[in-house]
Amino acid sequence: MKKLVPLKEYILSQKVIANVSEEYAKLYKLPEGHRSIGIFTATNDDPCFMAMDDATKKVEIKALQVKAHFGGGHSTRSKISGCVYGTFSAPSVEKVKAALSYIKEFVETRSEGYIFEGDPSSKFYAQCIPKMGTYYSELLNVPAGTPYAYMIGSPVEAVYALDKALKSGNVKLVKYIYPPARVNSGGGIIIGSEAACRAAREAFIEGLYVASQNKVRI
């Protein structure tokens, strides 16, 4: 298999609203005592889901929304629109700022998006996280602290590779990202032991490589 080349991602914009209007509080159904919110955009949606989840383990926030744009970064209104929009609430401005700092650090230094060397069209994302935070715990109805792996790629390759990952060991699919998703992708989130999640990730990457190297061979 060819060498994996990491892709660099960035936060493009982030803002704090210290005391939201009553209308916003109702629209976002803010928890009791939460009147401050943080909002951000980034170059890639994939690491932002995990970054939001990771931030819930470090500071008291409530994840409100992390959503990819239709068409991704090619369908934006401005240079800082990026590929994804995220927002969360907190009981204070200080906690919003701390969470935005954690999210930025995760996206820019810990994200695990790659291409296979020499093939810029082979972009994918595959990452194992030892402990799930409250964002994914509530969204997926899985206990906080559960190890999980997030794996996504181009539609055909990802469907083929995810099947390989699910057959790699004792793992369970808790979210299937039906292709073609908003950014023309597919994949899923699996849970299991940390070792099983890492084995599934490796199987996913190998499956992607096989599919990408044999595009029409059946």
Side-chain angles (χ1 to χ4, degrees):
M1 187 169 66
K2 290 184 179 179
K3 177 182 176 183
L4 297 182
V5 179
L7 297 173
K8 184 67 175 175
E9 305 298 349
Y10 299 93
I11 292 292
L12 293 174
S13 64
Q14 52 184 13
K15 288 289 178 286
V16 177
I17 300 179
N19 188 25
V20 297
S21 64
E22 289 294 338
E23 288 81 1
Y24 272 10
K26 292 176 183 177
L27 286 170
Y28 284 107
K29 299 178 181 178
L30 299 191
E32 186 70 28
H34 284 216
R35 293 307 298 261
S36 300
I37 66 171
I39 52 181
F40 64 92
T41 63
T43 54
N44 190 347
D45 60 321
D46 297 315
C48 291
F49 300 113
M50 279 151 288
M52 180 75 88
D53 188 72
D54 190 64
T56 66
K57 296 183 291 186
K58 295 180 169 68
V59 64
E60 183 188 354
I61 62 169
K62 172 67 174 179
L64 302 174
Q65 183 183 41
V66 188
K67 186 171 287 189
H69 302 168
F70 282 109
H74 298 294
S75 304
T76 62
R77 291 182 177 271
S78 76
K79 292 181 179 179
I80 62 171
S81 295
C83 184
V84 61
Y85 170 83
T87 184
F88 60 89
S89 67
S92 70
V93 170
E94 290 73 22
K95 290 183 178 180
V96 171
K97 289 181 177 180
L100 285 172
S101 178
Y102 288 128
I103 290 168
K104 187 174 189 295
E105 184 269 337
F106 190 105
V107 170
E108 297 187 354
T109 69
R110 294 167 55 196
S111 62
E112 295 189 22
Y114 302 93
I115 61 170
F116 296 113
E117 187 175 37
D119 185 359
S121 69
S122 62
K123 292 180 181 180
F124 67 92
Y125 197 96
Q127 186 165 18
C128 293
I129 302 293
K131 293 183 178 180
M132 184 179 289
T134 60
Y135 169 60
Y136 267 148
S137 175
E138 294 172 4
L139 189 67
L140 304 175
N141 195 27
V142 172
T146 301
Y148 74 97
Y150 176 99
M151 300 172 289
I152 194 163
S154 297
V156 171
E157 297 96 309
V159 170
Y160 179 84
L162 184 60
D163 181 70
K164 298 289 186 184
L166 293 172
K167 294 172 180 173
S168 67
N170 189 22
V171 295
K172 178 183 178 182
L173 182 67
V174 292
K175 181 177 178 61
Y176 183 56
I177 302 166
Y178 285 89
R182 284 171 173 259
V183 291
N184 196 25
S185 58
I189 299 173
I190 57 122
I191 59 172
S193 68
E194 188 174 349
C197 287
R198 294 193 181 282
R201 174 185 178 273
E202 293 303 313
F204 179 77
I205 293 172
E206 291 174 6
L208 286 177
Y209 183 73
V210 170
S212 67
Q213 296 301 301
N214 301 278
K215 293 180 175 61
V216 295
R217 186 187 304 171
I218 58 175

